[in-house]
Amino acid sequence: MATRFVIFFVLLCTVELSVGITLDGKDSWAKFTKWNPCQNGSLKFDFKTTQLNALLIYADDGGEFDFFEVKLVGGVVWLRVNLAREQLPVVLKVGQKLSDNKWHSIEINRADDRVTLLVDKEKQSNKLPGDDLNFGSLETNSFLFVGGLPIGFELSSLALPSALFEPRHRGDIRNLLYSNCSGTYRRPLMLDAHGVRTNGLDLCDKNNPCQNGGICISTDTGASCDCSKTDFMGEHCGIAKIPSEATFFGQQYLSYDLSSKGKLSSRGSPILSSNDEISLYFKTKQANALLFYTGDSNVNAGDSHDFIKIALENGGIAISVNLGYGVFRMNTGDERFNDNTWHRLVARRESRQISIFLDGERKQTGTATGTFSMLSSTVLYVGGAPVDKNIEQLKAVVNFRGCLKKVTYRADSITLEIIELVRNKHSLITVHGDVLLNKCEKLHYSSPITFSTTTSFLKAPKWEAKHSGTISFQFQTNEKNGLLMYNNGRVAKSDFFALEILEGYLFLIIDLGSGAIKEKVSKGIVNDGKPHKVFVNHSGKTGTVTVDTEEVSYTAKGNSDELNLEGILFIGGVDSTEGTYMLPRELWTAMLGYGYIGCLQDLIINGDVFHLEQMAKHQKVAGVIHECHATSPECPNRPCLHSGVCQEGWNRFICDCSATSYYGPACNKVAATLTFDGTQHMKVEMPEESRTEAEDISLRFKTKRLHGLLFVTASGKTADKIELSVDNGRVRLDINLGSGTQTLYGGVGLTDNQWHTIRVKRRLKAIRLEVDGNDIANGEITGDETLLRVNNLFVGSVANSEEQMQGDASLLGLKNVALGKRQNDDPTPKRNQEPFVGQIQQFIFNNNRFIEMAKSGKISNIELTAVFSEKGPEEICKPDACDHGGRCIQQWDSFTCDCDMTSYTGSRCSEDSVAYRFGDTPSLITYTYPDQKQPHTKNDQIALGFRTGEIDAVLMRIESGNSNDYLEMELVSGNLFVVYNMGSMDHPVGELFHIVNDTKYHVVRFTRSGPNSTIQVDNWAKQTKNPEGNQLNVFDNQARIYIGGKKGNDQSIVRPFKGVLSGVVYNHLRILDLAKQGDEQITIQGDLREETDPDQSVTTKSPDPPVIMPSSTDTATHRMQSTQTEETTTTKSTTPTTTMKMTTQKATTTTMKPVPTVKKDVETTSVVSTAKPTTRTTTTTVKSTTTVKHISKPKAKPRKMTTTQAPVKMIPTTTDEFIFSGESSGCVSDDEEDCGSGATDDIISPTPTITIIPSTKVTKKPSGSKEPCDDDDNDCNGSGSGSIMGILPETTTEDLFISSPETSSTAAPTPELVQTSPDKMAAKSTTANPNAEPEPEYSPKDTATSTDSPLIITVNMTEEVIKSTTSVFHSSQTTSRTPGNIGGVNENPDETEGDLNLFLIIGIAAGSLVALLILAFIIYKVRKRSNGSYKIDEGKNYQDSKEPLQANGDGTGKTPSPIKTKKGDVKEWYV
């Protein structure tokens, strides 16, 4: 029987394939003769299967880079072709639901540089990239494989290694035909095969022996079971597999590399997938670590670098995805999973849809940025990764510490069981480090602590490492200097061990008795705010230090191989009572006073776990917190006073006050000042000689003398010295360590009796002299000596002293310090130096504040003859010291004003800044940063003033040079917005409640701190933006700043601004000033001229005729400006009963008292303000039904901005729920069709609808007439029926705020009010004409001098109400000439006094009745009104889901058709 089977198989392999073959799908494959397509060849065959995923055809050029692959993915035929080196393969996808167990035909045709895939009658073609279009060479090309690849195939011999992991075809293949080099079709020979069936019997149909989910496969020898998709094994999948667990200890990881750098192939085509799934189990107590990463290793791809990254972040799970269009981030929120129990994680990507499942529960879903859906993967990492400085996501990797199991990566049809491949020692996966397999070992952990002060530290027993020892721990900080550990030896300054952070790098210092070595053991900075794992392994005189995954070796000096340590192992700092002169000179952080501030955890010494939180409790250490949390930046809040420079620390801010006259945590204490007259000094002496290799020195001085000694150190035994002096109006620094003097000069003209700040810094031989923060000189000390010996230090002049002072020397860290004059018998350098005459303050030597010590009187070894100056500042900051909201900065004897955020300039922010008028021709000012100085910012500030009538324009835009990051300030429908994107998504924030294109001068202030921002226009309420979730916060590589518009793709000026821009300041950069100065970084285009009076608003006449308010396409005339001549305009509409009368009148200046209150007036239907003007007002009588008028006055040029606040909160100040439709860096819609042209009418402004009502003839009362005042106040100026404040019900502001206008055809018309600011209200009607456009709220500037012209606000009345008031009544009105008060003007002098009295009685009675009815209805409607709900979609459409929007200018009043969007585009709902 066996002989017959062999003969049959040989015959099958040596004849042409005239009939089909059946593959059983279990390790099955068939090998055919080579296909030589040349550039015009073809291949075709038929297939039938029930599998969704299967490899059908594969051939390559022998393992270089050319290949053809045909496979089924989800029932769709994919053809992947690659013929060009360093190019991504061409992918063609044709067909649907082809796994139907029916015959389907496939044909592949080549025609030069095009390839075509034909499936049944459907085809697709594409162009092949590259110049070499030949498919390898016939001699080296592989055979053609059908249905799969042999199991033993070497990965290195495949051009596409992932083909080996494709599912095998289970089904039939027939009619396989070749066309070599455009020849006729021929049938190839089958040379070899495995798993090819000779019969079609289905042995699994009636007898399926497979258990536990195993897949039954029919073969010629019987039914077989495929257990690969289960957790079982054996013939029938009945035996449980050994758990594929692995233990990682923080230095290990798993990887594959399919790139050209990898070991698998010379080219390594990536795995391309449209769907991915990563599933794994993890168990850890680690809060931050990399779990999984896969992506493209092409570092030149920039922002198009594809990847999926899954990591632990603060105990939660975070996933980052980039499909070539920007990074999308998503996390699980505040839920923590680092509880040392098993958790199952599944991350699934279906095209651009991302989902996270944890323990079977969906946690988050989202959509990746852009339109791309394919992921290119050439590298994969599990449990950690090497640090790759070229890939942003791998620049600082924290490796995983804990257990993983069942790690599976599925990319479309490919499934990789990562740990299972490691167990089977598959060549695809590389193991880095000693990963413990088949076991989850219990790991030692300790809870983290935080050192919050520089003086806090812990004490542990000495490190027993005489012959060998280990120390491991994890730390996290963003501070660049700090002492982590120190252990001294038996004799002071002999054997010792230390770890310290210097300038952001980790250093090891160790001495075995023959001299210390100092090794930099971190290859990158470690003060990046991320966790770093440290492992020290010492043995004899050698050892290694591993930081994260980078290992550095060291060898100690001398012949000793014993490390004899004694005393205490200090952690986080050192005891100050030890005295710095007792510490090793190589321990710079201790000498300079830098204790460690940051987190520390998992301390294990020689295998023993140290529980740091318990040690802190037992030792009662102050300044140690039992947790580790990074807080948000604090410097944006400007915590440092008096111009102190703020730096971000770990959960703190650090104020550098050395250049100010103050000190303290926030530069809040006045620094002591010493006055020297040429004979005075201050001197400090030490009992022990101080020896240092690094110094930080700073001081401030002022003098009129050309020469004078500032300070000098001296040693009683050597010529060592540091001397700083004033030499001919400059600063001179002399340093001598025994090998000659090195001299540096800095500054010029320093004898101007002004304060100057000097800083001196030395590290070994490198020295640096800095004067006033910008004049910097660097040098290097000659010779081999690096040690500075100090017994005495003198400042000002050298003292005459015969005895050394004892006492608190250990607190100073030096042996002798003196201020004043040089001692006569002092052995310091003999250069003849004049004593100093002037004042000195802020003298700090290695963190010792000597002058403050002397003033405190607590240090007994300081000799002082100089006099403390009691003179304080002659001028101090007051609330009104700086105009227009400028920030007052206190100096020593004066103050200065920071005007950056005001749009003004000058010493008091009272002068106009440089301003430019942008004319009708599109104009643009461009500032270009130098290539090497493009800033990266986490915080930004913008301030500017503007005046315009445009409804849509870009005021300014800042763009990145190498990414999509941008920040843009713009006008949209007359509202001001700022939109910014730091790489994740667009964040809009804006002033939605006021229209600013009113040709008035407005000041804008915008600040950004990471993803959060605020914007304020004038003195209106600040609007804030605080995006949820993890957001990118760095604005990278700022390259260009555009003022007055922006550049389009064709370099034309897009959305140009027309008007005046003034005082533009961006991060302290005054762009317009640079433009005026002709700076070389500035480019000017278009119609520009300098404006000399930027904040003078334009005065215009009221529109004639005053028709219904304009639409959103013409909001430039929304605001009517007052004129200096009186004119009256009456307009009649097509409806005979509709009339609007508008009056403008010259007005006088009126000053309002602050904080107006609101009260109810039952006699009228208006609102009463009890704020009183300080000047008389004009009393007039208006004969009308419901017309309310607003009279304003001319505005003088403002010099000081004042704010009047109401006692209640008026409006919400967050814009998170509004959708911005302006242009950005790219469309974020799923469909490219959804990307419009940036229309400006997508924002629904919360403005009332104004309509015209029936009105009777208005008469003007003779000049000088006056009506009695009936208000409660004796002096009711500004009150009465002319004010619109009277009809407000006594309710809250929230009850009054109506989010959008409604229409009603049945309910009685009732006026509704929107309260917009403390002194500005707007009315809107529920019977508003649906064809009318929303009218912007009237928002006069909060100053006492305004040029707003009359604004008429009318209330619609029903016919019944009109008839009830046919007897026209007169109402007494008081006209206020202050913005915010409404009044009327009598315009008919022919009306008699008798008529007035008669109609007054009738009018009051009728008006009271109408007012009560309207008031009752308002209360009912307002309290019953729903807030509505809003939905947000990716097309950035905004609509009220409660009522359909009115079409813009559409007379039909129909609901506009929504913008076309994909189903499922709606992402979030806000209520």
Side-chain angles (χ1 to χ4, degrees):
M1 182 68 182
T3 304
R4 292 174 61 189
F5 178 79
V6 171
I7 295 172
F8 172 80
F9 185 80
V10 171
L11 290 173
L12 182 67
C13 294
T14 56
V15 299
E16 293 182 344
L17 181 62
S18 59
V19 295
I21 62 172
T22 300
L23 298 166
D24 61 23
K26 184 180 182 181
D27 302 331
S28 57
W29 51 270
K31 183 171 73 172
F32 290 84
T33 54
K34 296 181 180 181
W35 176 40
N36 185 25
C38 300
Q39 296 189 16
N40 296 283
S42 301
L43 180 149
K44 62 181 179 180
F45 63 94
D46 301 333
F47 75 95
K48 181 175 67 172
T49 186
T50 58
Q51 283 183 286
L52 289 173
N53 304 295
L55 178 65
L56 299 176
I57 298 289
Y58 179 81
D60 65 21
D61 60 354
E64 291 297 320
F65 49 87
D66 292 357
F67 65 84
F68 280 83
E69 181 191 49
V70 182
K71 63 180 180 177
L72 272 178
V73 178
V76 179
V77 173
W78 283 30
L79 168 65
R80 294 181 64 190
V81 182
N82 189 45
L83 299 179
R85 184 183 296 271
E86 303 299 333
Q87 295 286 340
L88 287 176
V90 171
V91 180
L92 302 178
K93 305 176 186 179
V94 179
Q96 291 289 336
K97 299 179 181 179
L98 303 178
S99 305
D100 54 2
N101 205 29
K102 297 179 181 179
W103 286 106
H104 298 280
S105 63
I106 296 177
E107 184 173 350
I108 303 170
N109 295 308
R110 284 205 57 194
D112 297 324
D113 62 348
R114 296 199 68 82
V115 61
T116 302
L117 172 64
L118 177 66
V119 179
D120 295 335
K121 296 182 180 180
E122 184 180 353
K123 71 176 180 179
Q124 189 182 78
S125 64
N126 204 344
K127 183 178 180 180
L128 295 169
D131 299 326
D132 183 6
L133 299 177
N134 291 315
F135 178 51
S137 64
L138 188 60
E139 294 77 15
T140 60
N141 285 354
S142 72
F143 295 99
L144 187 136
F145 291 90
V146 175
L149 294 173
I151 293 178
F153 221 108
E154 290 291 334
L155 287 175
S156 58
S157 63
L158 293 173
L160 183 63
S162 62
L164 187 63
F165 302 96
E166 294 284 357
R168 299 177 184 276
H169 175 64
R170 185 169 67 249
D172 301 311
I173 298 287
R174 72 181 185 187
N175 296 331
L176 178 62
L177 300 172
Y178 293 172
S179 170
N180 293 327
C181 300
S182 69
T184 59
Y185 278 106
R186 295 180 179 276
R187 296 185 184 276
L189 292 176
M190 186 170 68
L191 305 177
D192 198 0
H194 183 271
V196 175
R197 301 191 61 193
T198 60
N199 66 75
L201 297 177
D202 187 356
L203 303 179
C204 296
D205 187 25
K206 295 182 180 180
N207 182 23
N208 183 355
C210 304
Q211 306 172 20
N212 301 307
I215 300 174
C216 184
I217 298 175
S218 295
T219 68
D220 284 346
T221 59
S224 178
C225 294
D226 181 4
C227 308
S228 60
K229 301 288 193 298
T230 71
D231 295 329
F232 295 84
M233 59 183 182
E235 183 180 1
H236 299 140
C237 308
I239 304 173
K241 292 180 181 178
I242 300 174
S244 56
E245 298 178 351
T247 305
F248 296 77
F249 300 95
Q251 290 84 35
Q252 302 81 16
Y253 63 93
L254 311 176
S255 74
Y256 72 58
D257 189 349
L258 304 179
S259 69
S260 58
K261 299 179 293 184
K263 66 180 183 180
L264 301 181
S265 66
S266 59
R267 165 62 182 93
S269 291
I271 296 176
L272 289 179
S273 59
S274 59
N275 300 284
D276 300 282
E277 182 180 285
I278 299 99
S279 63
L280 56 88
Y281 289 81
F282 68 93
K283 176 182 177 182
T284 186
K285 289 188 70 176
Q286 195 174 12
N288 299 276
L290 178 68
L291 293 173
F292 180 91
Y293 177 92
T294 187
D296 192 347
S297 62
N298 180 15
V299 298
N300 297 321
D303 286 339
S304 64
H305 168 69
D306 289 7
F307 69 85
I308 296 178
K309 177 183 177 182
I310 304 174
L312 282 162
E313 289 187 3
N314 297 322
I317 298 296
I319 182 170
S320 302
V321 179
N322 189 347
L323 300 179
Y325 212 88
V327 179
F328 167 78
R329 285 179 53 85
M330 187 169 62
N331 59 39
T332 56
D334 297 331
E335 195 170 0
R336 299 170 69 92
F337 299 93
N338 59 331
D339 52 3
N340 207 30
T341 60
W342 282 109
H343 295 282
R344 184 171 187 258
L345 165 68
V346 177
R348 189 172 295 146
R349 181 184 74 90
E350 297 173 345
S351 185
R352 293 171 49 238
Q353 299 298 316
I354 316 296
S355 302
I356 301 177
F357 298 84
L358 275 156
D359 301 328
E361 179 182 350
R362 184 193 297 266
K363 294 298 181 181
Q364 287 289 345
T365 60
T367 304
T369 306
T371 58
F372 300 151
S373 61
M374 300 294 291
L375 176 77
S376 174
S377 168
T378 55
V379 294
L380 177 143
Y381 300 106
V382 174
V387 176
D388 191 334
K389 298 301 181 182
N390 296 314
I391 300 178
E392 180 66 30
Q393 301 297 324
L394 299 179
K395 282 185 177 180
V397 177
V398 179
N399 284 7
F400 178 71
R401 191 164 184 261
C403 299
L404 295 175
K405 67 179 180 180
K406 298 182 181 179
V407 181
T408 304
Y409 174 45
R410 293 185 177 90
D412 285 331
S413 56
I414 299 173
T415 300
L416 299 177
E417 299 280 354
I418 305 299
I419 296 181
E420 199 66 32
L421 291 171
V422 173
R423 289 177 57 183
N424 295 329
K425 298 181 179 179
H426 199 285
S427 59
L428 176 69
I429 304 298
T430 301
V431 180
H432 304 265
D434 297 327
V435 177
L436 182 62
L437 296 176
N438 304 325
K439 182 181 180 181
C440 180
E441 185 175 280
K442 184 178 179 180
L443 300 178
H444 299 288
Y445 294 93
S446 67
S447 299
I449 63 171
T450 298
F451 294 94
S452 60
T453 68
T454 57
T455 58
S456 55
F457 60 90
L458 295 178
K459 296 180 180 180
K462 70 175 182 179
W463 182 27
E464 295 288 352
K466 183 174 182 179
H467 299 292
S468 65
T470 60
I471 294 179
S472 66
F473 60 92
Q474 180 176 293
F475 72 95
Q476 185 176 0
T477 187
N478 62 356
E479 305 212 2
K480 62 181 182 179
N481 297 294
L483 177 60
L484 284 167
M485 292 182 181
Y486 168 68
N487 201 153
N488 63 313
R490 292 178 179 176
V491 181
K493 302 183 182 180
S494 60
D495 293 13
F496 73 91
F497 157 82
L499 287 170
E500 66 179 3
I501 302 173
L502 280 172
E503 302 299 330
Y505 292 89
L506 183 65
F507 285 83
L508 166 76
I509 314 167
I510 193 168
D511 189 343
L512 272 61
S514 301
I517 62 168
K518 190 166 190 171
E519 295 283 345
K520 185 169 73 172
V521 293
S522 66
K523 295 186 178 180
I525 60 171
V526 294
N527 66 323
D528 52 4
K530 299 178 181 179
H532 294 280
K533 186 72 176 178
V534 179
F535 180 72
V536 181
N537 186 2
H538 177 76
S539 178
K541 61 181 296 184
T542 64
T544 60
V545 180
T546 304
V547 180
D548 298 329
T549 59
E550 300 289 345
E551 183 179 275
V552 174
S553 302
Y554 67 86
T555 302
K557 291 181 179 179
N559 298 321
S560 174
D561 58 359
E562 294 184 359
L563 178 60
N564 297 305
L565 301 178
E566 292 292 337
I568 296 170
L569 173 63
F570 290 97
I571 303 169
V574 67
D575 194 344
S576 60
T577 60
E578 293 290 323
T580 55
Y581 60 89
M582 297 292 295
L583 297 172
R585 63 184 184 231
E586 296 86 1
L587 198 59
W588 294 356
T589 52
M591 292 291 184
L592 300 174
Y594 295 125
Y596 173 71
I597 293 184
C599 299
L600 195 70
Q601 68 182 84
D602 299 340
L603 176 62
I604 303 175
I605 302 177
N606 294 341
D608 296 327
V609 179
F610 283 74
H611 296 283
L612 299 174
E613 75 284 1
Q614 297 179 9
M615 293 172 60
K617 290 179 181 179
H618 178 72
Q619 298 176 22
K620 298 179 180 180
V621 178
V624 174
I625 302 171
H626 302 159
E627 261 303 335
C628 178
H629 290 299
T631 58
S632 57
E634 299 188 48
C635 286
N637 298 324
R638 296 186 175 185
C640 301
L641 306 176
H642 307 110
S643 297
V645 178
C646 185
Q647 299 175 355
E648 294 293 347
W650 185 254
N651 294 347
R652 66 168 185 159
F653 60 88
I654 306 169
C655 292
D656 181 2
C657 314
S658 59
T660 75
S661 297
Y662 296 82
Y663 73 103
C667 306
N668 55 329
K669 300 179 182 180
V670 177
T673 302
L674 283 176
T675 301
F676 298 86
D677 63 2
T679 63
Q680 298 165 320
H681 67 271
M682 185 180 86
K683 178 181 179 180
V684 180
E685 298 181 4
M686 295 296 151
E688 295 285 341
E689 183 180 63
S690 172
R691 300 183 178 188
T692 59
E693 291 182 341
E695 295 85 37
D696 284 337
I697 309 168
S698 65
L699 61 81
R700 302 185 79 220
F701 76 93
K702 68 176 182 178
T703 185
K704 295 181 180 179
R705 299 288 185 92
L706 292 176
H707 302 277
L709 175 68
L710 292 173
F711 79 85
V712 62
T713 66
S715 170
K717 302 177 181 178
T718 68
D720 293 2
K721 74 164 185 177
I722 296 181
E723 180 176 335
L724 186 70
S725 59
V726 179
D727 188 0
N728 199 27
R730 305 179 68 190
V731 168
R732 171 172 172 163
L733 175 67
D734 294 289
I735 297 184
N736 187 347
L737 301 182
S739 301
T741 301
Q742 175 69 38
T743 302
L744 296 178
Y745 288 92
V748 65
L750 304 180
T751 57
D752 53 1
N753 204 31
Q754 300 294 318
W755 285 109
H756 298 282
T757 303
I758 313 299
R759 294 183 178 90
V760 177
K761 179 178 181 179
R762 181 180 79 95
R763 299 293 185 265
L764 291 177
K765 296 183 179 182
I767 53 176
R768 175 188 177 100
L769 173 65
E770 181 181 305
V771 180
D772 292 333
N774 48 29
D775 191 342
I776 299 173
N778 294 291
E780 185 170 340
I781 300 172
T782 59
D784 297 329
E785 292 293 332
T786 60
L787 191 63
L788 174 68
R789 299 169 176 83
V790 177
N791 290 99
N792 304 281
L793 192 152
F794 307 88
V795 174
S797 64
V798 180
N800 291 307
S801 177
E802 297 180 356
E803 63 181 55
Q804 292 184 338
M805 296 190 176
Q806 308 296 323
D808 300 325
S810 62
L811 296 178
L812 301 178
L814 295 171
K815 185 175 180 181
N816 189 300
V817 178
L819 302 175
K821 59 184 180 181
R822 181 173 298 154
Q823 190 173 337
N824 293 340
D825 58 351
D826 184 68
T828 53
K830 300 301 187 293
R831 185 172 71 87
N832 187 21
Q833 183 59 268
E834 295 184 16
F836 177 75
V837 177
Q839 291 183 316
I840 295 178
Q841 64 178 207
Q842 294 281 46
F843 180 62
I844 308 170
F845 196 108
N846 284 359
N847 210 32
N848 294 301
R849 305 187 61 87
F850 289 121
I851 298 179
E852 275 68 33
M853 290 178 182
K855 188 172 184 179
S856 70
K858 297 180 180 180
I859 306 298
S860 59
N861 59 329
I862 295 180
E863 177 184 298
L864 180 66
T865 63
V867 179
F868 286 104
S869 174
E870 301 299 333
K871 181 182 178 181
E874 297 177 358
E875 295 179 312
I876 61 174
C877 284
K878 296 179 181 179
D880 59 348
C882 302
D883 291 340
H884 299 105
R887 189 167 68 97
C888 186
I889 302 172
Q890 185 67 56
Q891 303 296 323
W892 173 244
D893 52 4
S894 64
F895 65 84
T896 60
C897 291
D898 181 357
C899 308
D900 279 358
M901 301 298 286
T902 69
S903 86
Y904 290 86
T905 187
S907 60
R908 296 295 183 265
C909 307
S910 58
E911 302 174 16
D912 291 332
S913 294
V914 175
Y916 279 92
R917 176 176 291 278
F918 292 73
D920 295 333
T921 303
S923 307
L924 194 67
I925 297 176
T926 305
Y927 176 85
T928 304
Y929 285 98
D931 291 339
Q932 304 303 320
K933 296 182 179 180
Q934 294 181 352
H936 309 265
T937 62
K938 288 185 178 179
N939 308 291
D940 295 307
Q941 292 181 338
I942 297 175
L944 58 84
F946 72 94
R947 190 174 76 237
T948 186
E950 296 293 293
I951 63 171
D952 182 88
V954 172
L955 280 72
M956 69 181 299
R957 178 182 174 96
I958 303 97
E959 292 182 343
S960 171
N962 62 356
S963 71
N964 291 329
D965 294 2
Y966 78 98
L967 188 154
E968 181 173 297
M969 181 180 292
E970 60 186 353
L971 288 170
V972 179
S973 296
N975 294 98
L976 186 74
F977 283 88
V978 174
V979 190
Y980 53 96
N981 189 328
M982 303 298 109
S984 52
M985 61 190 302
D986 285 356
H987 300 301
V989 60
E991 177 52 74
L992 289 168
F993 304 101
H994 299 85
I995 299 296
V996 296
N997 63 328
D998 52 5
T999 69
K1000 297 179 184 178
Y1001 189 75
H1002 297 284
V1003 177
V1004 185
R1005 304 173 184 87
F1006 170 81
T1007 61
R1008 179 185 71 86
S1009 177
N1012 305 316
S1013 65
T1014 63
I1015 188 172
Q1016 184 182 29
V1017 181
D1018 298 335
N1019 288 325
W1020 299 330
K1022 288 183 179 180
Q1023 311 299 325
T1024 64
K1025 182 76 174 181
N1026 297 290
E1028 296 182 353
N1030 288 335
Q1031 302 287 341
L1032 299 178
N1033 56 22
V1034 177
F1035 191 161
D1036 291 319
N1037 293 94
Q1038 297 172 20
R1040 294 169 296 279
I1041 302 175
Y1042 297 122
I1043 306 296
K1046 64 179 180 180
K1047 289 289 186 71
N1049 292 332
D1050 59 354
Q1051 296 302 303
S1052 63
I1053 300 176
V1054 179
R1055 298 174 65 194
F1057 174 81
K1058 185 169 73 173
V1060 175
L1061 285 173
S1062 172
V1064 178
V1065 179
Y1066 174 67
N1067 292 344
H1068 310 294
L1069 194 65
R1070 290 184 169 267
I1071 309 297
L1072 300 186
D1073 293 57
L1074 295 176
K1076 183 178 180 180
Q1077 297 165 9
D1079 190 276
E1080 61 181 5
Q1081 304 302 131
I1082 293 287
T1083 304
I1084 298 178
Q1085 300 172 252
D1087 180 16
L1088 283 175
R1089 62 182 176 85
E1090 189 175 352
E1091 182 77 6
T1092 58
D1093 199 7
D1095 59 354
Q1096 181 61 47
S1097 298
V1098 177
T1099 301
T1100 62
K1101 294 178 67 175
S1102 302
D1104 186 17
V1107 295
I1108 294 175
M1109 303 313 292
S1111 67
S1112 62
T1113 59
D1114 189 21
T1115 56
T1117 58
H1118 277 179
R1119 303 283 180 88
M1120 295 172 288
Q1121 306 301 317
S1122 64
T1123 62
Q1124 298 302 315
T1125 61
E1126 177 177 328
E1127 70 181 55
T1128 301
T1129 305
T1130 302
T1131 302
K1132 294 184 179 180
S1133 70
T1134 56
T1135 303
T1137 60
T1138 303
T1139 304
M1140 173 182 284
K1141 183 171 287 290
M1142 182 173 297
T1143 300
T1144 60
Q1145 175 179 318
K1146 185 175 181 179
T1148 59
T1149 302
T1150 302
T1151 303
M1152 291 298 298
K1153 294 183 179 180
V1155 192
T1157 58
V1158 177
K1159 69 177 183 176
K1160 185 176 178 182
D1161 185 353
V1162 298
E1163 297 295 322
T1164 65
T1165 58
S1166 58
V1167 176
V1168 177
S1169 173
T1170 62
K1172 302 177 185 179
T1174 58
T1175 63
R1176 281 185 73 87
T1177 60
T1178 302
T1179 303
T1180 63
T1181 301
V1182 175
K1183 188 175 181 180
S1184 180
T1185 53
T1186 54
T1187 300
V1188 182
K1189 298 187 177 182
H1190 181 95
I1191 305 298
S1192 62
K1193 55 185 176 10
K1195 165 188 159 186
K1197 180 177 178 181
R1199 283 302 174 194
K1200 192 175 296 183
M1201 300 181 69
T1202 59
T1203 306
T1204 301
Q1205 297 291 342
V1208 294
K1209 182 180 178 182
M1210 306 307 296
I1211 52 177
T1213 59
T1214 179
T1215 62
D1216 286 21
E1217 299 172 6
F1218 291 92
I1219 294 305
F1220 172 77
S1221 66
E1223 300 167 18
S1224 65
S1225 60
C1227 177
V1228 297
S1229 173
D1230 285 349
D1231 258 334
E1232 292 182 1
E1233 297 175 0
D1234 296 346
C1235 301
S1237 59
T1240 63
D1241 57 353
D1242 292 342
I1243 293 181
I1244 307 303
S1245 300
T1247 56
T1249 300
I1250 308 301
T1251 62
I1252 305 173
I1253 65 162
S1255 176
T1256 62
K1257 181 179 180 181
V1258 179
T1259 61
K1260 183 174 183 180
K1261 187 176 179 179
S1263 176
S1265 63
K1266 185 175 182 180
E1267 289 296 324
C1269 179
D1270 295 329
D1271 288 302
D1272 295 337
D1273 224 332
N1274 292 329
D1275 181 6
C1276 53
N1277 287 341
S1279 305
S1281 60
S1283 173
I1284 70 168
M1285 294 295 292
I1287 62 173
L1288 275 180
E1290 294 179 353
T1291 181
T1292 63
T1293 301
E1294 289 75 6
D1295 292 333
L1296 291 174
F1297 185 79
I1298 301 169
S1299 60
S1300 63
E1302 294 185 22
T1303 62
S1304 173
S1305 59
T1306 59
T1310 306
E1312 298 173 351
L1313 294 181
V1314 180
Q1315 189 166 354
T1316 60
S1317 68
D1319 60 344
K1320 296 176 281 288
M1321 304 294 299
K1324 61 182 181 179
S1325 171
T1326 58
T1327 59
N1329 183 352
N1331 302 329
E1333 288 301 317
E1335 165 64 10
E1337 302 160 5
Y1338 181 69
S1339 307
K1341 203 168 183 179
D1342 290 335
T1343 62
T1345 56
S1346 173
T1347 60
D1348 299 340
S1349 64
L1351 174 66
I1352 297 180
I1353 304 177
T1354 64
V1355 182
N1356 284 349
M1357 307 290 288
T1358 62
E1359 192 68 17
E1360 291 77 3
V1361 176
I1362 296 172
K1363 289 179 180 179
S1364 68
T1365 57
T1366 53
S1367 296
V1368 181
F1369 62 91
H1370 294 263
S1371 61
S1372 176
Q1373 302 192 30
T1374 303
T1375 303
S1376 171
R1377 303 175 187 236
T1378 304
N1381 296 317
I1382 306 300
V1385 180
N1386 191 336
E1387 301 184 36
N1388 191 349
D1390 300 329
E1391 198 65 50
T1392 65
E1393 187 70 24
D1395 291 338
L1396 176 63
N1397 294 332
L1398 174 61
F1399 290 134
L1400 179 61
I1401 298 172
I1402 298 174
I1404 291 176
S1408 300
L1409 179 61
V1410 173
L1412 290 175
L1413 291 175
I1414 293 175
L1415 179 61
F1417 196 82
I1418 288 176
I1419 297 174
Y1420 174 78
K1421 290 291 289 183
V1422 170
R1423 293 190 179 278
K1424 291 296 184 180
R1425 185 174 302 275
S1426 169
N1427 288 331
S1429 62
Y1430 302 91
K1431 61 183 178 181
I1432 298 175
D1433 65 16
E1434 287 191 329
K1436 296 184 176 179
N1437 303 316
Y1438 176 95
Q1439 69 184 56
D1440 190 332
S1441 61
K1442 181 178 176 183
E1443 290 285 335
L1445 297 177
Q1446 295 297 327
N1448 230 358
D1450 185 2
T1452 65
K1454 296 179 181 179
T1455 303
S1457 300
I1459 297 176
K1460 177 183 177 183
T1461 56
K1462 285 186 179 181
K1463 182 179 180 181
D1465 276 353
V1466 176
K1467 301 302 174 192
E1468 298 171 331
W1469 285 87
Y1470 291 92
V1471 178

